[in-house]
Amino acid sequence: MSALAKYLLKFGKKVGGSDAVSSEFTDELIEKGVKIDFGDENNIDDYEAVIYTDAVSESDIHMIRAKELNKTVISRGQFLYEISRCFKKVIAVSGCHGKTTCSAMLSHIFAAADKKFACHIGGKDLRFSNFYFCGNDFFITEACEYKKNFLRLKPNAAVILNSDPDHLECYGSEDELKKAYVSFADSADADFSLYKDIPDLKGINFGFDKSADYYAENIRITDGKCRFTAYEQRVKLGNVSLDVYGRHNVLNALAAMAVARFFYIPFEKIAEGLSDFKGVERRFEKLSEVGGVKYYADYAHHPNELRASLKTARRITRGKLYVVFQPHTYSRTKLLMNEFVKVLNPVVKLLVYKTFAAREYYDDSGSALTLSQKLKKCRYGDCPDDISDFMSEAEEGDTVIFLGAGDIYYIAKQVLNKNGN
């Protein structure tokens, strides 16, 4: 939402907002002159239109007040579509995970190619933050699958990074989720998807298989960073250097490359842009290193994301690996409980922190405490001091990683600051 606020500010609009608590995003907007209310404060009267996220319920006092005053009320998904219509070409990136990284990679590629574009990113790119504007030829945006919001967009290029079971409380089944991805692809001039991830997709694909339209060979990982050779329909394009961790980021880079090539960007500019990409906040971000102990944070909140993050963390750790995981929403934890247990059971040093509920009410069957009780070796924590006690055992050569999409990132920073890290 803060990125959309920045877009409106760019064109001189009066912007206000509300949130449950303050954050780096709200602080940044306040510095730009945006009036933000917290909790039950309400300044709806001063504005013509209200834009809301699906995390806001109909019973929210701001929504009730807006309707009482007959304000124009627009969902975030609809508003994003209205903004996209201001651009000549729209690139929409979807998938269970990787959207933010791939969108940011595309932004760096388009910047290297000197294109006129705007990017709307779900996280904070270390160069562009979550919004950047230098022209209206291309609009690069994340496309959220929650409540089928991504089907509102009518992109020229639709990117589908993966289709893991997620948001099943909205779709009912994985088959229905995949059908939505197919509809998303059908709405675009061209679609780009992980090789054979969704068989019904017949567009341009990428992956590690040589049968893919875009694939990688000779993948080398040095100090956690990736180097590989890129191919386009079995023709060698050249070498790519990524300054980020993990093989999953090779797939993100291949997806970005496929889109860029579709828009006739030379490989040299693609390689330059990917090399310039230094990562996104909370995507295996190194927070600090003290006394030989390294501290990282990663946005992983789905079992497959956890699996990838833990694999990378183990690769770069000489000693013991300490993992702090905060589940994101009760419904996801409940629906994927067995998968979470399977991924987390091998972790020897593990603390499961209380659930970040987001838009949901408490559900014991999907709570962090219930998850922790199903794990073989696990502590449960519900306050920052529990985390501080847990990670105080780490010694030189060990790694501590904070995983989750909720407020665990800010709690981790709070704990590290308190401990002088």
Side-chain angles (χ1 to χ4, degrees):
M1 288 293 283
S2 65
L4 298 179
K6 290 177 185 178
Y7 177 86
L8 293 171
L9 289 171
K10 180 76 178 176
F11 293 98
K13 304 298 181 182
K14 178 183 177 182
V15 181
S18 69
D19 209 335
V21 295
S22 62
S23 66
E24 292 179 1
F25 291 107
T26 58
D27 290 345
E28 184 181 8
L29 290 176
I30 290 171
E31 287 179 7
K32 294 179 180 293
V34 176
K35 185 181 187 304
I36 297 181
D37 299 332
F38 296 99
D40 291 338
E41 295 180 64
N42 194 325
N43 67 340
I44 295 293
D45 302 37
D46 301 332
Y47 300 91
E48 296 176 11
V50 175
I51 302 161
Y52 68 94
T53 75
D54 286 309
V56 175
S57 69
E58 292 291 324
S59 61
D60 180 84
I61 61 168
H62 303 86
M63 295 289 284
I64 293 172
R65 181 62 176 167
K67 291 175 181 178
E68 287 175 351
L69 297 173
N70 291 319
K71 301 288 184 180
T72 300
V73 179
I74 311 169
S75 71
R76 175 191 176 278
Q78 182 63 33
F79 187 65
L80 186 62
Y81 165 68
E82 297 297 340
I83 286 178
S84 73
R85 295 173 63 194
C86 300
F87 295 82
K88 296 176 183 176
K89 300 289 183 182
V90 177
I91 301 167
V93 182
S94 72
C96 175
H97 34 262
K99 293 187 291 289
T100 296
T101 297
C102 185
S103 298
M105 285 178 169
L106 277 164
S107 301
H108 283 265
I109 291 171
F110 276 63
D114 200 28
K115 300 294 185 182
K116 303 300 181 185
F117 73 98
C119 61
H120 169 254
I121 302 173
K124 297 183 75 171
D125 177 83
L126 299 183
R127 174 181 171 187
F128 297 120
S129 188
N130 62 346
F131 172 77
Y132 177 77
F133 181 93
C134 67
N136 65 347
D137 286 349
F138 294 93
F139 184 50
I140 300 167
T141 182
E142 292 189 33
C144 180
E145 309 84 34
Y146 182 62
K147 290 192 175 179
K148 301 185 180 181
N149 276 321
F150 68 151
L151 296 182
R152 296 178 183 270
L153 292 167
K154 305 301 177 187
N156 299 93
V159 182
I160 301 164
L161 295 171
N162 37 66
S163 177
D164 289 328
D166 201 10
H167 299 306
L168 296 188
E169 75 280 10
C170 303
Y171 290 91
S173 69
E174 190 174 357
D175 285 342
E176 288 302 312
L177 173 61
K178 289 188 175 183
K179 286 179 183 177
Y181 279 121
V182 173
S183 296
F184 176 61
D186 289 343
S187 71
D189 297 335
D191 61 273
F192 307 81
S193 61
L194 183 64
Y195 184 65
K196 289 186 177 179
D197 192 48
I198 304 178
D200 291 338
L201 294 175
K202 306 300 181 184
I204 300 166
N205 51 55
F206 55 89
F208 295 127
D209 195 294
K210 289 184 180 181
S211 298
D213 296 309
Y214 290 87
Y215 63 92
E217 279 193 346
N218 193 26
I219 300 172
R220 291 97 60 203
I221 299 177
T222 306
D223 296 328
K225 309 300 172 67
C226 292
R227 311 287 185 268
F228 66 92
T229 304
Y231 287 81
E232 179 183 64
Q233 296 178 342
R234 302 203 174 188
V235 176
K236 180 179 176 180
L237 290 174
N239 296 321
V240 174
S241 175
L242 294 178
D243 199 20
V244 288
Y245 295 97
R247 284 172 63 91
H248 58 286
N249 278 320
V250 175
L251 293 176
N252 290 330
L254 288 171
M257 182 184 304
V259 173
R261 292 290 289 171
F262 178 75
F263 289 111
Y264 306 106
I265 294 179
F267 174 76
E268 293 74 18
K269 293 298 180 183
I270 295 172
E272 179 185 335
L274 290 173
S275 178
D276 183 60
F277 173 66
K278 303 303 179 186
V280 178
E281 193 176 82
R282 297 185 71 168
R283 272 60 176 185
F284 219 97
E285 177 189 357
K286 187 174 183 180
L287 299 178
S288 69
E289 181 174 353
V290 179
V293 180
K294 298 178 181 179
Y295 300 87
Y296 292 87
D298 192 74
Y299 198 68
H301 56 286
H302 183 278
N304 285 344
E305 292 175 339
L306 292 177
R307 187 176 289 109
S309 186
L310 291 172
K311 184 177 181 180
T312 301
R314 291 186 182 106
R315 185 178 288 124
I316 65 172
T317 301
R318 290 190 294 109
K320 298 183 291 295
L321 175 63
Y322 289 75
V323 177
V324 178
F325 171 57
Q326 180 189 48
H328 187 268
T329 73
Y330 300 110
S331 59
R332 177 182 285 112
T333 308
K334 181 179 180 178
L335 286 166
L336 302 176
M337 182 68 76
N338 291 337
E339 288 300 310
F340 278 117
V341 170
K342 188 183 300 183
V343 173
L344 292 173
N345 251 338
V347 180
V348 177
K349 300 289 185 179
L350 173 65
L351 183 145
V352 172
Y353 195 71
K354 64 180 178 180
T355 303
F356 187 81
R359 53 194 170 265
E360 298 179 344
Y361 294 107
Y362 181 78
D363 181 350
D364 181 67
S365 61
S367 71
L369 179 60
T370 298
L371 171 61
S372 70
Q373 292 169 343
K374 292 179 178 289
L375 295 164
K376 296 176 182 176
K377 299 178 181 179
C378 180
R379 297 188 195 180
Y380 174 74
D382 61 7
C383 70
D385 285 344
D386 291 334
I387 295 176
S388 184
D389 291 343
F390 172 69
M391 70 183 205
S392 67
E393 301 172 6
E395 301 174 338
E396 182 179 354
D398 295 345
T399 297
V400 179
I401 186 165
F402 303 90
L403 302 173
D407 58 1
I408 189 64
Y409 178 74
Y410 305 104
I411 295 171
K413 283 190 169 184
Q414 174 189 334
V415 171
L416 289 171
N417 287 335
K418 183 179 179 180
N419 292 352
N421 290 357

